[in-house]
Amino acid sequence: MVRADRFQRDEGVDTKPMNIVVPIKLVPDLVEELEINEDGTDIDREFLTYRINEFDDHALEEALQLKEKHGGSVTVLALESEETDKVLYTALAKGADRAVKVTGLPEGLSSHALARTMGQALSNIDYDLVLVGVQAADDRDGQLGVLLGKTLGIPHLSVVTDIAVEGNTLTLHKEYAGGIMAQFETEPKVVLGIQAARVIPRYAPVSRVRQLMKEAELDEVEASDIDLGSGTSVRRMYTPTRGEGAEMLEGDAEEIASRIADIINEKRS
Amino acid sequence: MSQDILVVVEHLDNVISDVTFELLGKGRELATATGGKLLAAVLTSSAQSLAEKLGVADQVIGVEDPQLQHFNPESYLTALSSVVEKKAPRLVLIANTSMGMDLGASLSVERNLPLVAYAADVEMEGDAAIVTSHLYGGKIYSESVLDADSGIVSILAGSFPAEPGKKDGTPELEILAAPPALSDTRLRFKSLIQPEAGDVDITQEDILVAVGRGIQSEDNLPLAEELAKALGGAVCSSRPIVDNKWLEKNRQVGKSGLKVKPRVYIALGISGAPEHIEGMKDAELIVAINTDETAPIFEHAHYGVTEDLFDIVPALTEKLK
Ligand SMILES: Cc1cc2nc3c(=O)[nH]c(=O)nc-3n(C[C@H](O)[C@H](O)[C@H](O)COP(=O)(O)OP(=O)(O)OC[C@H]3O[C@@H](n4cnc5c(N)ncnc54)[C@H](O)[C@@H]3O)c2cc1C
């Protein structure tokens, strides 16, 4: 009996397959130059390229890893925008089972409003786990995962770097500074803010994404009566003054290398 | 609502984190501006020993319970929420750290208080607190107006000097009754795991060559290693390099890595996200090489080069040999 039990556990057979939801946020590509809009209170969103928040990409990868190991399903959710379809089809191409597009909301939503929206969308989805990127580059009013956990009335843990499942119990690692980690245990349902997946997030072959764009359907749900407020307003957004920090070194590679060598040698002497 | 400033004291293994003193120093300034008191909230199993380090505060508000010995998002929220309800502070200052992230945003929903995160500065302007946040990986700054009666500011570590917040001596200590809901948690803290000691201690190195995602592939790491060798220093990195397992965790600089203060820090292909800056901004000499002239690393470097690192680094190594 004991042996069989152990064997089963090692095989993960007695681990309950989990339905995992990954809310995805699209953020401006930080490699591009960001500009400020005319009234100086937001970035200029007109010509921006958006992409999946890099930490959400890790959350998706971790969700797919868990599914591949223990069964269950992965559902991705994102607000409608110009690039949403592509991001959602990419998630399907990577192995997500279902993609839901939430319509009817403006761009540049606050984290509080996004949490309310995702909370509403989740009320019609059967889930055990919500994995979300630990943060996004624009959450001025707090991180989505924590806000979502509170909105849903379920526990949340952020900066999670490791998830193990046995039976119905999740063992989680939360990272602190200096590489110190805290280990927690819990049972579903829970929202986890993922810092890094156990492996580098996979790529989806472009051909597969294209194929799915032709064949697969995205589900749509409309958000209704979402309170858009966050309790604070932005009076000014700006780019830090360039050149205030560093003295820029110019010239060809040889000249620059010589300058840096001189600067370092002077400091070392 | 009071005009008090409440600082949430962060502690790990019974040691108060540096960032708490940064917040206390700033909190002292803000309390002078609002005319309120500076309160320090200590949520722990036994508050006395921590309170002794909080001499800069006017009052320490403690919630004590065995459940609070280690951080737990649920029990800490319950405890903090009771402090905030009782004291109704003008501002709650929380560190934008691993613990602070869980605490700040959940307090915001729990008590229906506005929250501004990623804060690098807070100033009072009349009745409003103006909060400067570093957004988009530090590429954009924003000024938020927090003009409700009460609000929460989640502050990036390293935003203020710690010295003004450090003063021994125990202020008046008020212990609040632990709310009964405290032990009603679905998350269970199990243990703390210390990192393994690695081959080098980058916090002890005089010269660090730091690589970021701009290094593109593990195969290019020898470029940085050769430069480090020519300088008699060590290689360290930003977080993604460690997440990719190209380098060990003990090489990571920043918020969830190590804080370093070398004489020379050469940043190769590192954008300068706030989480990285936190760990290296006190280096004596910072030289950054990054193809993107708008990379935030240049706000913190002393010297900058907007060229391809693959052109500059071999030439530099040659010169230093
Ligand atoms: C809770 C939390 C904790 C974190 N802790 C840490 C931490 O401890 N340390 C840390 O570093 N990060 C940490 N991060 C991650 C952080 O937010 C950033 O994602 C990370 O610092 C970015 O690393 P990077 O600069 O190497 O990569 P990127 O931001 O991708 O920057 C790469 C840079 O390389 C430049 N580049 C590209 N090619 C070249 C070339 N050929 N020559 C020169 N330049 C080039 C690009 O212009 C770009 O600026 C943390 C995040 C979270 C949420």
Side-chain angles (χ1 to χ4, degrees), chain A residues 2 6 14 17 45 50-51 84 86 99 112 121 149 151 195 200 214 219 221 224:
Chain A
V2 173
R6 203 174 273 159
D14 65 347
R45 295 180 184 272
Y50 285 86
R51 43 167 299 176
T84 301
K86 191 164 159 234
H112 279 72
T151 305
Q195 165 85 64
I200 302 174
K214 285 193 208 117
D219 292 348
V221 297
S224 63

Side-chain angles (χ1 to χ4, degrees), chain B residues 173-188:
Chain B
L173 175 59
E174 181 186 345
I175 303 286
L176 300 183
L182 214 62
S183 28
D184 183 18
T185 69
R186 282 167 284 178
L187 279 164
R188 301 180 294 279

Side-chain angles (χ1 to χ4, degrees), chain A residues 78-96:
Chain A
L79 294 193
E80 177 177 42
S81 73
E82 216 171 296
E83 279 102 337
T84 301
D85 285 14
K86 191 164 159 234
V87 168
L88 290 179
Y89 279 116
T90 303
L92 289 175
K94 288 181 174 187

Side-chain angles (χ1 to χ4, degrees), chain B residues 68-181:
Chain B
L68 298 172
Q69 189 183 352
H70 294 284
F71 179 76
N72 178 322
E74 294 176 282
S75 51
Y76 270 56
L77 174 65
T78 306
L80 179 60
S81 182
S82 74
V83 174
V84 170
E85 182 176 20
K86 188 98 187 263
K87 296 292 163 185
R90 174 73 186 76
L91 289 177
V92 181
L93 308 185
I94 298 185
N96 200 105
T97 51
S98 181
M99 297 181 197
M101 275 189 200
D102 272 319
L103 215 40
S106 56
L107 183 68
S108 166
V109 178
E110 177 87 5
R111 300 231 64 82
N112 195 18
L113 295 174
L115 163 76
V116 182
Y118 293 148
D121 202 7
V122 200
E123 296 294 342
M124 295 306 299
E125 260 186 45
D127 280 343
I130 305 299
V131 183
T132 304
S133 303
H134 288 183
L135 303 178
Y136 301 104
K139 282 199 160 186
I140 300 279
Y141 292 0
S142 81
E143 283 175 9
S144 301
V145 183
L146 207 53
D147 53 6
D149 289 343
S150 185
I152 307 162
V153 187
S154 178
I155 299 178
L156 296 167
S159 297
F160 310 110
E163 276 322 305
K166 284 188 176 157
K167 204 170 131 200
D168 282 348
T170 316
E172 182 197 335
L173 175 59
E174 181 186 345
I175 303 286
L176 300 183

Side-chain angles (χ1 to χ4, degrees), chain A residues 77-80 98-105 117 120-122 124-125 218-224:
Chain A
L77 272 178
L79 294 193
E80 177 177 42
R98 183 180 167 214
V100 182
K101 185 159 74 171
V102 183
T103 62
L105 286 165
T117 307
Q120 189 179 72
L122 276 164
N124 294 315
I125 297 176
L218 302 177
D219 292 348
E220 284 191 25
V221 297
E222 195 176 342
S224 63

Side-chain angles (χ1 to χ4, degrees), chain B residues 213 238-239 252-256 269 271 275-276 290 308-309:
Chain B
R213 220 152 18 191
S238 66
R239 169 147 203 148
Q252 184 190 321
V253 171
K255 184 196 201 79
S256 47
S271 63
E275 295 84 7
H276 186 78
N290 191 312
D308 193 322
L309 73 91

Side-chain angles (χ1 to χ4, degrees), chain A residues 30-31 54-55 133-136 158-159 175 178 194-195, chain B residues 96-98 101 118 137 139 211-216 237-241 243 249 252-258 265 267-279 289-297 305-311:
Chain A
L30 293 186
V31 172
E54 65 167 303
F55 301 108
V134 59
Q135 65 178 40
S158 26
V159 201
E175 202 173 292
I194 302 297
Q195 165 85 64
Chain B
N96 200 105
T97 51
S98 181
M101 275 189 200
Y118 293 148
K139 282 199 160 186
V211 293
R213 220 152 18 191
I215 196 83
Q216 286 163 15
S237 78
S238 66
R239 169 147 203 148
I241 304 300
D243 283 341
K249 185 78 183 169
Q252 184 190 321
V253 171
K255 184 196 201 79
S256 47
L258 295 161
Y265 192 88
L268 307 175
I270 291 180
S271 63
E275 295 84 7
H276 186 78
I277 299 300
E278 203 178 303
I289 304 177
N290 191 312
T291 39
D292 175 7
E293 59 171 353
T294 69
I297 189 78
V305 177
T306 49
E307 299 285 337
D308 193 322
L309 73 91
F310 298 105
D311 292 337

